[in-house]
Amino acid sequence: MKYIGSTIIIVAFFSIAAAAQQLSALEIAKKTIAASGGDSWRDPRTLELSGTATLYWGDKSYRMTTYHMWRVFPGSNDNARNANGKVRFDALEGDKTFFRIAFDGKSTSQFLSDEAKAHEELLRWGNNFGFSIFRYVENEGFSVIRLPDDKIDDHPCYLIKIVDPKKGETIFGIDKKTFHIRYAAFRTPIGFHQRIYDDFKWSKNPRFIQPRSLRIFNDGVKIADVFWSEFKIDQPIADSVFVF
């Protein structure tokens, strides 16, 4: 009889493990949306991020003392690699503009320093768009496939693949404990693009989870470290921001 308590604990452990294993890819995606803020994360209007970054391009590193993003989200999305909605990135080394690039919903405007011009392909929208497709995973025409579990930075994660209606494939790593997105990856014309997220912080109103640390890799080589120190959700952004 003295082993009954231990037996119950062991049975409970394996029951929990079995339940986790039985989660479908879509169930994991739904839990991720809920754990990220629910409707306010799935359907944000705008997002503004500011911080710093180090870009590892070629054999040099470039320290961005100002790294700023403005984003107006689209109402729908069926292609993970297409630029959509509105977006702008500014990267400055002190007072020097390293690059500025924006999409106003129809066309792209950009200013590139000589150093940025040498690596212009890294800035093309099709080589960078992918994360936001997660928000539309429950829409018609999408499919979700569960992949083998793994660890991201020693965090046990579910891995799933989202296939959009245009057959674009994006892989996501979901923290098994928090259901936060720790990893996103997709193929591009210039290599296999990978992103690793950490340092998650909540916005309380609206409720929205934002990773403040981002590492970006291309074909296994790190090309950027990004640190977002501030973020704003659903604040008005003027159309003029996206035209210069």
Side-chain angles (χ1 to χ4, degrees), residues 20-68:
Q21 185 61 38
Q22 291 169 5
L23 284 174
S24 72
L26 184 57
E27 287 171 334
I28 292 169
K30 289 181 177 180
K31 285 178 176 290
T32 299
I33 292 170
S36 298
D39 289 343
S40 58
W41 184 88
R42 177 170 43 202
D43 299 309
R45 296 189 300 275
T46 68
L47 173 63
E48 184 177 350
L49 302 168
S50 58
T52 62
T54 301
L55 308 179
Y56 306 97
W57 290 1
D59 59 353
K60 295 182 179 180
S61 61
Y62 305 91
R63 171 68 173 170
M64 302 298 112
T65 53
T66 299
Y67 201 64
H68 203 146

Side-chain angles (χ1 to χ4, degrees), residues 6-136:
S6 298
T7 301
I8 292 173
I9 292 172
I10 292 171
V11 170
F13 172 81
F14 282 108
S15 296
I16 294 171
Q21 185 61 38
Q22 291 169 5
L23 284 174
S24 72
L26 184 57
E27 287 171 334
I28 292 169
K30 289 181 177 180
K31 285 178 176 290
T32 299
I33 292 170
S36 298
D39 289 343
S40 58
W41 184 88
R42 177 170 43 202
D43 299 309
R45 296 189 300 275
T46 68
L47 173 63
E48 184 177 350
L49 302 168
S50 58
T52 62
T54 301
L55 308 179
Y56 306 97
W57 290 1
D59 59 353
K60 295 182 179 180
S61 61
Y62 305 91
R63 171 68 173 170
M64 302 298 112
T65 53
T66 299
Y67 201 64
H68 203 146
M69 187 203 80
W70 297 260
R71 182 83 165 103
V72 175
F73 291 95
S76 62
N77 187 7
D78 65 358
N79 190 335
R81 301 301 161 257
N82 275 4
N84 52 52
K86 299 178 182 180
V87 62
R88 172 173 167 172
F89 279 93
D90 283 8
L92 286 79
E93 292 180 295
D95 295 330
K96 174 187 174 182
T97 299
F98 190 75
F99 70 78
R100 178 178 292 126
I101 183 168
F103 178 71
D104 66 359
K106 295 181 179 179
S107 59
T108 296
S109 304
Q110 65 180 27
F111 168 84
L112 305 180
S113 65
D114 290 340
E115 296 91 338
K117 286 179 182 177
H119 302 278
E120 185 175 359
E121 70 278 3
L122 294 173
L123 296 172
R124 291 175 184 159
W125 299 125
N127 297 329
N128 290 279
F129 266 74
F131 181 91
S132 288
I133 202 66
F134 201 107
R135 295 184 162 91
Y136 307 92

